[in-house]
């Protein structure tokens, strides 16, 4: 009886873990449109989806397969989720069709035997999804040992996959339906439907999982929409509502009561280009991180000041707010209707770069911003100005 009680308590106190996978990355650009690449869009949306859950679902832990532009092998993505003992795995992708074909709308895929309707155009669209997403394994070394018996160039391989976790099928399909309903309602996108297919990225996930195709980068108007801040906010609200509905269904006893979102509460993340510093400068910079956390911004307003933005919120937070995760030294500035919280302040970009790295475990969405004369400025332009002054 005591053992059963302990197990029961452990299950009740375990945090719900969501693993979000930004498709492609690094040398694998994914689908390429006229103005953007799939790997960049998937990262932006994955970070936005994770942030909206982190800010509004304090009982949920979010794990990311990548938070920067780097290549992660398909088998490793599921492995990250498995090692984190995730309760849910969601992979974010952008759709595309060969030249001469036009597609629009949002689709969700779960793992299973390929189920495609007899519609010729629908068959082409869904077959292309499986072929394109699975072909990524050719970027990997020794892929044969991780995908036994699978050749992405062989038509016969499209029927080799079996559903590994039958028990997860029902929950995966429920999640996919919640996604279709809520994302399409928030974005106004065409409902492209729920499908099952033999997608490698879902194959080894030991939990309910789905792959989202947000829209078609190969269709001009859809690509433009996907690159807008408005789209990121709308998709994020749809994702949040779908996640809450799913969690309330599968884990009603552990679900908290989450507040409804207002439109202005969703802020798209900014992806800042931050090249790695040289090894020679990395160690000395690390020594200054602790003192930098407490030091105020320099008095010389003529120089750009760099800071790390850790989160944004529609309301002003108290010093002990759980969203700040113990960062009592956090400062804030107001932009529009949002309160944006920062840590650190320095005219030395390398110091702020190292500070951001030290904060990523608690604030994976953190990024660097810059101010000059009290006005927010472009980070790359601020870096050019500081480099120019050092040369003189």
């Amino acid at each position: 009886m005591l053992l059963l009680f302990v197990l029961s308590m452990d299950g009740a106190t375990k945090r719900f873990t969501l693993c979000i996978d930004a498709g492609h990355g690094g040398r694998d650009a994914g689908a390429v449109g006229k103005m953007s690449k799939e790997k960049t869009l998937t990262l932006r949306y994955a970070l936005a989806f994770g942030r909206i859950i982190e800010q509004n679902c304090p009982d949920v832990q979010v794990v990311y397969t990548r938070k920067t532009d780097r290549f992660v092998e398909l088998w490793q993505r599921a492995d990250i989720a498995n090692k984190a003992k995730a309760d849910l795995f969601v992979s974010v992708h952008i759709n595309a069709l060969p030249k001469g074909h036009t597609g629009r709308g949002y689709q969700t895929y779960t793992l299973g035997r390929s189920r495609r309707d007899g519609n010729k155009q629908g068959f082409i669209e869904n077959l292309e999804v499986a072929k394109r997403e699975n072909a990524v394994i050719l970027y990997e070394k020794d892929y044969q040992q991780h995908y036994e018996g699978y050749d992405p160039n062989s038509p016969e391989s499209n029927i080799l996959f079996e559903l590994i976790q039958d028990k997860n099928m029902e929950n995966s399909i429920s999640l996919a339906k919640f996604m279709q309903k809520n994302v399409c309602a928030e974005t106004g996108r065409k409902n492209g439907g729920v499908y099952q297919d033999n997608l490698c990225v879902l194959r080894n996930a030991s939990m309910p999982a789905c792959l989202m195709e947000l829209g078609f980068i190969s269709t001009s108007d859809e690509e433009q929409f996907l690159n807008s801040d408005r789209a990121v906010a709308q998709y994020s609200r749809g994702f949040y509502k779908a996640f809450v509905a799913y969690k309330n269904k599968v884990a009603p006893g552990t679900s908290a009561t989450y507040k409804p979102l207002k439109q202005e509460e969703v802020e798209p993340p900014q992806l800042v280009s931050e090249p790695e510093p040289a090894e020679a400068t990395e160690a000395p910079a690390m020594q200054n991180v602790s003192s930098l956390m407490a030091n105020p911004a320099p008095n010389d307003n003529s120089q750009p000041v760099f800071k790390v933005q850790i989160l944004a919120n529609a309301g002003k937070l108290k010093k002990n707010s759980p969203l700040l995760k113990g960062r009592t030294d956090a400062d804030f500035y107001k932009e529009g209707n949002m309160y944006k919280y920062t840590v650190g302040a320095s005219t030395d970009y390398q110091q702020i770069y190292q500070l951001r790295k030290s904060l990523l475990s608690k604030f994976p969405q953190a990024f660097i911003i810059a101010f000059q004369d009290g006005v927010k400025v472009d980070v790359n332009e601020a870096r050019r100005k500081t480099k120019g002054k050092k040369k003189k």
Side-chain angles (χ1 to χ4, degrees), residues 16 100 108 144 191:
F16 192 98
T108 313
Q144 291 92 343
N191 190 329

Side-chain angles (χ1 to χ4, degrees), residues 170-184:
E170 184 179 347
N171 283 344
S172 297
I173 293 174
S174 292
L175 170 66
K177 289 180 177 178
F178 282 131
M179 290 293 186
Q180 287 298 136
K181 175 183 176 181
N182 289 278
V183 170
C184 292

Side-chain angles (χ1 to χ4, degrees), residues 12 38 55 130 143 167 203 208 212 215 247 260 347 364 372 389:
E38 182 178 6
Q55 291 181 348
Y143 73 83
K167 64 181 181 181
R203 184 183 183 188
M212 301 184 290
K247 185 169 177 286
T347 56
Q372 186 167 15
K389 289 186 178 182

Side-chain angles (χ1 to χ4, degrees), residues 364-379:
Q365 75 279 12
F367 60 94
I368 296 175
I369 60 174
F371 289 86
Q372 186 167 15
D373 297 323
V375 178
K376 191 175 179 182
V377 296
D378 179 77
V379 172

